[in-house]
Amino acid sequence: MPELPVGDTLARRFVHSYADRIIAMADRTGGRSLRVDGAVLADLGSPYGYDNAVVLTGPPDAAGLDRVLDAAAGLFPADRWWVLLSVFALPDLRGRVLVPVGHPPLMLRPPGPLPVRPGIEVRTVPDADPGDFDRVLVEGYGLDTTGGSAIADPRLTGDLLHLVVGYAGGEPVATAGASVRHGIVEIDRVAVPQRHRRRGYGTAVTAAACAVAPDLPTLLISSDDGHPVYTRLGFWDLFRTTTWEHPPS
């Protein structure tokens, strides 16, 4: 319902936080963005597909969804990895050259004390090397970076993105990112390469990202691998979202 204020619900705050963030990221990096009825689209040309996104800001009817997907086809190059994020139910979109990612839960952590993980040092970019952030995220997600795009772009850090890197024995082993908008902390870019998992590193960096604004509620969309990490940190499942993607060719 477009007439409702952004702050009407936590879910609505999350949707608009994500949408406004990717628009701002595109503006700062020379990417392209578009606002249409019921959706926000942004193409950063990033190897991390969740930076190249279509975010539905309202429940679409069939004609409205077609208009959004037509706009996406015009915005994104044919070989771009991009995602469609929705907190609303959607029909089968495989006929639009999209593949289902699934129904990952939107999770909430109320404000409260955060655990401290001994044995891992957490630094914030640029105190942490942006290249360390890139390398961990690339390995954690198996990204193709042949295009040379930086993920921890210096133009995005500071007031827009708070990026953290966890180090164990001097080696970068985990990443997480946070953005503060609309009275919430939105968490993204949590990555731990396979060889470093099940050692508490993901918990440590996610806690550090939440601590950017500890008096605010924190929300994120969880992966299957990340769900136990977030549960241990005190996140609650709210409801399942819907994610489709256009994979890189």
Side-chain angles (χ1 to χ4, degrees):
M1 299 175 66
E3 68 274 11
L4 292 176
V6 170
D8 182 64
T9 63
L10 286 170
R12 190 166 175 81
R13 291 186 190 190
F14 176 83
V15 165
H16 284 273
S17 176
Y18 201 118
D20 291 352
R21 171 174 62 81
I22 60 173
I23 289 280
M25 291 169 67
D27 289 346
R28 290 196 187 184
T29 59
R32 299 183 300 157
S33 62
L34 184 65
R35 292 184 184 270
V36 299
D37 285 344
V40 165
L41 305 83
D43 178 22
L44 278 71
S46 173
Y48 180 57
Y50 287 81
D51 289 343
N52 314 312
V54 177
V55 182
L56 296 185
T57 56
D61 57 21
L65 186 57
D66 280 341
R67 286 193 295 270
V68 169
L69 295 176
D70 287 345
L75 181 71
F76 297 106
D79 61 350
R80 182 80 77 235
W81 175 26
W82 58 271
V83 299
L84 170 64
L85 303 175
S86 176
V87 299
F88 314 103
L90 295 176
D92 193 308
L93 300 177
R94 276 171 278 213
R96 298 301 300 253
V97 201
L98 297 176
V99 297
V101 176
H103 300 282
L106 180 66
M107 302 187 76
L108 163 71
R109 186 185 191 278
L114 288 157
V116 177
R117 171 75 183 182
I120 182 172
E121 178 188 5
V122 179
R123 304 179 207 158
T124 301
V125 175
D127 293 334
D129 183 347
D132 289 345
F133 189 100
D134 277 9
R135 283 188 289 274
V136 172
L137 197 69
V138 165
E139 183 178 352
Y141 280 89
L143 303 181
D144 178 3
T145 57
T146 53
S149 299
I151 302 167
D153 191 311
R155 293 170 291 183
L156 302 177
T157 57
D159 60 323
L160 179 53
L161 293 182
H162 305 272
L163 305 180
V164 300
V165 183
Y167 294 85
E171 180 184 1
V173 294
T175 64
S179 178
V180 181
R181 287 174 177 267
H182 301 305
I184 66 165
V185 181
E186 176 212 339
I187 301 293
D188 196 359
R189 300 182 175 204
V190 178
V192 181
Q194 188 70 41
R195 58 198 172 95
H196 294 305
R197 292 179 184 173
R198 291 176 171 76
R199 302 180 189 179
Y201 299 155
T203 302
V205 292
T206 305
C210 295
V212 166
D215 296 332
L216 296 179
T218 304
L219 289 107
L220 56 78
I221 293 178
S222 172
S223 65
D224 290 340
D225 287 342
H227 193 268
V229 172
Y230 307 135
T231 300
R232 285 194 294 271
L233 275 172
F235 280 85
W236 305 337
D237 293 310
L238 295 182
F239 55 83
R240 290 194 175 273
T241 64
T242 298
T243 305
W244 290 78
E245 71 176 2
H246 180 281
S249 58

